[in-house]
């Protein structure tokens, strides 16, 4: 499993409160694709993260943190001329605002040559997100090349999480670009709220499928309520269990990792969606993007619950 994209150093008030009043900041790391890689590793899969970091203390911190999660970071480039990106979280009553300081970062210089990495020849899946094409023309070219390469010309499937970040798309091109990219992946993830923001306020999960008919699997996440998977057979919806929410950022990445792990374990869609919800709950319970999973026995017990017993968790 190869995940490609930018990871930044992240600062957040500890305990969670607004930046205007907080007295201390906690340093962690944040990146959609490395989040997925770390959770895949937690779930027992071989995970690789490819990116670029500045040759600076933040870059060394990021590399060490991702490697500590048992993710292969051997192919991450160190750029002596560009810095590691930085984000700052600002929690508030209406949600968490994120301030980015990533313009000209090392990862923004990534390009299509990343796809020439020999490691991809043995990959089962390449995971990308809609964050990357917003970073620079070369990053957009990377994602476009990956998603326009015919399946017959690559050895791996491609999953794509729309992961719309409005602050990264100031020119109004997000709706068209992200639609084109999302409809080319083998497996696509999209939040219902972001689909409504991008493509129509009246959309429901079925309407999103009509807009994105080409992916072999489409997963529409409806916040903390449910997730629906569309494949070759009937759609499958699994409600999300009740979960304490400390901070929501990173939960979508965790869900994607859980779902992908469920598929690679040979599970059916219901089991994959359940594992997505279980993994997402781990991110929701912490202020960082990467939280601890339940022990393996608990995960297996939850996956084995009857439909009625699972519904009782909602």
């Amino acid at each position: 499993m190869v995940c490609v994209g930018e990871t930044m150093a992240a600062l957040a008030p500890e305990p969670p409160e607004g930046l205007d009043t907080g007295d201390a900041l906690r340093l962690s790391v944040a990146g959609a694709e490395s989040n997925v890689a770390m959770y895949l590793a937690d779930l027992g899969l071989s995970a690789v993260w490819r990116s670029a970091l500045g040759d600076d203390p933040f870059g060394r911190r990021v590399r060490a943190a991702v490697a500590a999660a048992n993710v292969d970071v051997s192919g991450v480039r160190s750029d002596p001329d560009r810095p590691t990106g930085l984000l700052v979280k600002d929690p508030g009553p209406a949600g968490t605002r994120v301030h980015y300081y990533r313009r000209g970062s090392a990862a923004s210089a990534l390009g299509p040559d990343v796809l020439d990495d020999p490691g991809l020849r043995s990959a089962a899946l390449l995971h990308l997100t809609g964050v990357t094409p917003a970073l620079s023309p070369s990053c957009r070219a990377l994602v476009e090349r990956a998603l326009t390469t015919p399946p017959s010309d690559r050895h791996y499937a491609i999953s794509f999480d729309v992961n719309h970040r409005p602050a990264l798309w100031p020119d109004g091109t997000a709706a068209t670009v992200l639609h084109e990219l999302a409809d080319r992946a083998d497996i696509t993830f999209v939040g219902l709220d972001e689909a409504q923001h991008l493509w129509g306020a009246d959309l429901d999960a079925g309407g999103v499928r009509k807009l994105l008919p080409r992916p072999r699997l489409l997963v529409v996440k409806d916040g903390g309520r449910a997730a629906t998977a569309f494949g070759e057979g009937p759609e499958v919806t699994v409600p999300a269990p009740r979960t304490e929410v400390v901070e929501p950022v990173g939960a979508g990445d965790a869900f994607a990792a859980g779902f992908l792990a469920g598929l690679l374990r040979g599970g059916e869609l219901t089991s994959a969606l359940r594992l997505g919800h279980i993994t997402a709950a781990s991110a929701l319970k912490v202020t960082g993007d990467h939280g601890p999973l339940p022990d393996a026995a608990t995960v297996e017990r939850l996956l084995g619950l009857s439909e009625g017993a699972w519904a009782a968790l909602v």
Side-chain angles (χ1 to χ4, degrees):
M1 305 283 284
V2 178
C3 304
V4 176
E6 180 171 36
T7 295
M8 297 163 287
L11 296 172
E14 185 73 29
E17 60 180 297
L19 287 173
D20 292 343
T21 57
D23 292 324
L25 293 173
R26 175 178 175 270
L27 177 61
S28 61
V29 304
E33 299 83 5
S34 61
N35 285 343
V36 172
M38 288 190 284
Y39 277 115
L40 288 170
D42 289 343
L43 291 162
L45 295 168
S46 176
V48 177
W49 174 55
R50 291 291 181 263
S51 188
L53 295 165
D55 185 12
D56 51 39
F58 281 151
R60 292 187 286 276
R61 180 72 172 251
V62 169
R63 185 188 298 269
V66 180
N70 295 315
V71 174
D72 180 348
V73 300
S74 61
V76 175
R77 303 172 185 174
S78 182
D79 191 325
D81 301 316
R82 298 179 179 87
T84 302
L86 174 69
L87 70 78
V88 182
K89 294 182 180 180
D90 186 10
T96 298
R97 295 185 61 194
V98 179
H99 304 276
Y100 295 105
Y101 303 90
R102 68 199 311 176
R103 188 183 300 275
S105 68
S108 71
L110 292 172
D113 61 301
V114 171
L115 301 173
D116 299 325
D117 185 329
L120 279 174
R121 295 172 189 163
S122 60
L125 185 137
L126 171 64
H127 182 72
L128 302 165
T129 80
V131 174
T132 303
L135 299 181
S136 69
S138 65
C139 283
R140 179 167 165 180
L142 186 169
V143 178
E144 288 177 341
R145 176 181 162 189
L147 288 169
T148 55
T149 300
S152 59
D153 292 342
R154 48 181 163 85
H155 303 284
Y156 46 83
I158 297 178
S159 64
F160 180 79
D161 192 337
V162 170
N163 223 330
H164 179 223
R165 296 289 181 264
L168 300 179
W169 296 88
D171 57 1
T173 61
T176 299
V177 172
L178 291 175
H179 178 270
E180 292 175 352
L181 297 173
D183 202 33
R184 290 182 175 273
D186 300 299
I187 304 168
T188 293
F189 299 92
V190 64
L192 182 59
D193 56 345
E194 62 186 349
Q196 291 169 340
H197 179 81
L198 286 166
W199 306 313
D202 59 345
L203 283 173
D204 58 14
V208 178
R209 181 52 160 172
K210 291 178 181 177
L211 279 174
L212 301 172
R214 295 170 62 181
R216 294 205 308 266
L217 283 174
L218 170 69
V219 180
V220 181
K221 302 165 290 181
D222 188 7
R225 289 173 286 279
T228 300
F230 298 87
E232 294 181 354
E235 66 189 70
V236 177
T237 298
V238 172
R242 292 186 305 275
T243 302
E244 175 193 7
V245 178
V246 174
E247 218 278 337
V249 176
D253 307 323
F255 180 93
F259 181 84
L260 292 170
L263 290 181
L264 289 174
R265 287 179 171 189
E268 297 185 351
L269 289 179
T270 296
S271 180
L273 288 167
R274 284 188 181 186
L275 189 54
H277 287 311
I278 293 166
T279 311
S282 300
L284 290 168
K285 295 175 181 178
V286 297
T287 55
D289 288 3
H290 182 229
L293 287 172
D295 62 79
T298 299
V299 171
E300 293 306 317
R301 178 181 63 80
L302 291 170
L303 292 177
L305 291 175
S306 67
E307 185 175 344
W310 180 270
L313 302 176
V314 176

